[in-house]
Amino acid sequence: MNSITNFIEVKLKLKVNREKSAVDRPWRRKFLGFSFTSHKNPKVRIANESTKRLKSKIGELTSRSTSIPMEIRIEKLNLYLTGWCGYFALADTPSKFKEFDEWIRRRLRMIEWKQWKTPKTRVRKLKGLGVPPNKAYEWGNSRKKYWRIASSPILHKTLDNSFWNNRGLKSLYHRYEFLRQT
């Protein structure tokens, strides 16, 4: 470490931040939000801290307590996710992008369910989305919490990917695939 630091500071005349600099295995360190896998053929992955920051920001944008129309919420999400994906598309982890997509849609289903408020409205909305009346009544009168209902088979099928595509939500995974091909 001292030898390399000396070379960088004396020969290259660059300043080394000793607090951030360290000598360690690549998969134990993060660099500009990225890290590496510890396999024989290492791959670039998104660092854990970057994932936590993403989830925190999406949590703010999809907060149930914030009363924003869904169209504006989706617009803000799309703006943030476009930039985030543009930066992190270098990572070799498509499964993470699929995972984030699923998590975002679940958060949006949770918000939609809360906005429907009363059991009467929920039953009416579910019927309007093509759910059989007996199932709409069963789920519309459920006492389960928002997060649990958001992953229920009934909401998962009715508020599916095509529903969110029609509302304007862009898939993070599709953006990732597009950026990887270009």
Side-chain angles (χ1 to χ4, degrees):
M1 179 71 179
N2 290 335
S3 170
I4 293 171
T5 303
N6 190 31
F7 173 77
I8 291 173
E9 288 182 338
V10 174
K11 279 277 200 200
L12 301 177
K13 300 193 185 326
L14 297 171
K15 181 128 174 86
V16 175
N17 186 338
R18 294 179 192 275
E19 292 174 12
K20 291 183 179 179
S21 302
V23 177
D24 203 354
R25 300 280 182 202
W27 55 87
R28 291 187 192 147
R29 301 288 302 161
K30 71 175 183 77
F31 182 70
L32 298 175
F34 293 96
S35 187
F36 297 92
T37 59
S38 61
H39 298 112
K40 189 174 185 179
N41 297 322
K43 295 184 178 193
V44 178
R45 68 177 180 86
I46 302 167
N48 293 335
E49 293 84 4
S50 300
T51 301
K52 287 176 187 171
R53 271 196 310 276
L54 169 74
K55 288 195 169 197
S56 173
K57 181 64 176 177
I58 291 174
E60 289 174 22
L61 293 172
T62 60
S63 172
R64 286 191 330 243
S65 61
T66 310
S67 60
I68 303 172
M70 189 59 80
E71 291 73 29
I72 294 171
R73 193 181 301 262
I74 289 173
E75 188 179 310
K76 287 181 178 182
L77 262 173
N78 282 335
L79 281 172
Y80 178 73
L81 294 174
T82 299
W84 191 89
C85 186
Y87 184 78
F88 285 104
L90 177 67
D92 296 321
T93 52
S95 62
K96 277 295 196 189
F97 286 83
K98 280 184 181 178
E99 182 185 310
F100 295 145
D101 251 355
E102 291 168 9
W103 184 73
I104 291 166
R105 285 191 303 268
R106 185 175 178 186
R107 298 230 8 127
L108 291 174
R109 284 193 301 268
M110 177 185 65
I111 293 166
E112 195 79 11
W113 188 254
K114 183 177 182 189
Q115 287 178 348
W116 292 350
K117 292 187 183 184
T118 64
K120 182 179 176 182
T121 305
R122 291 174 179 165
V123 171
R124 184 173 42 83
K125 293 281 193 175
L126 287 172
K127 283 181 185 177
L129 290 167
V131 176
N134 62 337
K135 285 290 181 188
Y137 183 78
E138 177 187 335
W139 284 96
N141 288 294
S142 174
R143 297 288 176 230
K144 294 178 180 168
K145 299 290 183 188
Y146 301 117
W147 185 246
R148 176 101 183 264
I149 288 283
S151 68
S152 69
I154 213 78
L155 273 189
H156 198 54
K157 287 177 187 172
T158 55
L159 304 181
D160 59 355
N161 296 356
S162 62
F163 176 84
W164 294 113
N165 288 343
N166 292 338
R167 297 286 298 266
L169 182 69
K170 306 263 191 298
S171 169
L172 194 59
Y173 177 72
H174 291 306
R175 287 180 224 207
Y176 169 78
E177 286 294 315
F178 176 76
L179 291 171
R180 296 289 288 186
Q181 291 172 359
T182 56

